[in-house]
Amino acid sequence: MSRIEDRFEIQDVLFRYARAVDRLDYDAIAACYFDDAIDVHGGYTGDAAGLVEDIRQRHRTIDSSQHFISNVLIDFVDDDTAGVESYCLCFLRQKPAPGAAEQDLAVIRCRYVDRFERRDGRWAIADRVVVFDESRTVSMVDQLDPAWVASQRDMSDPVYS
């Protein structure tokens, strides 16, 4: 039996997670996990509902976020379980201080080491450990032309229209 459809469904969850965090779509973040999933995510360890609240708090000072998922390797353990490793490159830009032009940009290299399960026909994360390789912060000045369409961290982003 071909596992192509299962691979696409698992990769779709990974990509939806990245978009959900970047757009602060909390329901979509939670939908990537089973309710009883455990996530070890830097300073947070706990279930999916707690992760959503942790992201809500940690990202309140971040005005731009991009998560790039690549190098997705999927090893099927059985019909309904897969070990998944994927690389992630994150760009997290902090809001500038009042009146300041410079902003801090965190660049983080990490890997998601996941156990995916299929329950009731749906693939989702059952267990995740975020393995960090590097985190650095640089100061930057955003030179985006104000006439261009800028990304939004909410449902007003063009992807939702």
Side-chain angles (χ1 to χ4, degrees):
M1 177 172 126
S2 173
R3 299 305 299 244
I4 293 172
E5 187 173 315
D6 293 331
R7 288 180 183 279
F8 278 124
E9 288 181 29
I10 289 169
Q11 288 179 345
D12 191 58
V13 171
L14 293 168
F15 299 150
R16 287 184 183 283
Y17 171 82
R19 180 171 73 185
V21 172
D22 293 342
R23 301 285 67 82
L24 293 177
D25 185 341
Y26 302 113
D27 291 338
I29 295 169
C32 295
Y33 291 83
F34 290 112
D35 291 341
D36 63 346
I38 298 298
D39 192 306
V40 178
H41 205 112
Y44 174 79
T45 298
D47 64 13
L51 175 67
V52 168
E53 289 309 310
D54 182 68
I55 290 170
R56 187 185 309 270
Q57 292 304 310
R58 283 188 294 118
H59 282 243
R60 71 183 187 279
T61 62
I62 296 172
D63 71 0
S64 177
S65 170
Q66 286 188 325
H67 289 68
F68 296 91
I69 309 293
S70 67
N71 298 22
V72 178
L73 292 175
I74 301 169
D75 294 312
F76 290 99
V77 176
D78 57 39
D79 288 346
D80 298 315
T81 310
V84 181
E85 177 191 37
S86 50
Y87 285 41
C88 183
L89 178 61
C90 307
F91 293 88
L92 305 172
R93 189 181 69 200
Q94 294 290 321
K95 293 177 183 176
E102 285 192 352
Q103 297 173 265
D104 284 340
L105 175 68
V107 180
I108 301 166
R109 292 185 307 113
C110 61
R111 291 177 293 126
Y112 298 141
V113 178
D114 296 327
R115 185 180 79 250
F116 271 75
E117 294 179 5
R118 177 172 41 199
R119 300 180 191 168
D120 298 321
R122 177 177 79 98
W123 284 101
I125 300 165
D127 183 77
R128 167 170 280 178
V129 176
V130 182
V131 179
F132 292 91
D133 293 300
E134 175 184 46
S135 178
R136 58 189 152 120
T137 302
V138 296
S139 292
M140 52 88 58
V141 175
D142 185 4
Q143 297 181 352
L144 186 68
D145 185 326
W148 295 355
V149 177
S151 66
Q152 301 298 316
R153 297 208 70 204
D154 57 27
M155 297 304 229
S156 70
D157 188 86
V159 75
Y160 294 109
S161 61

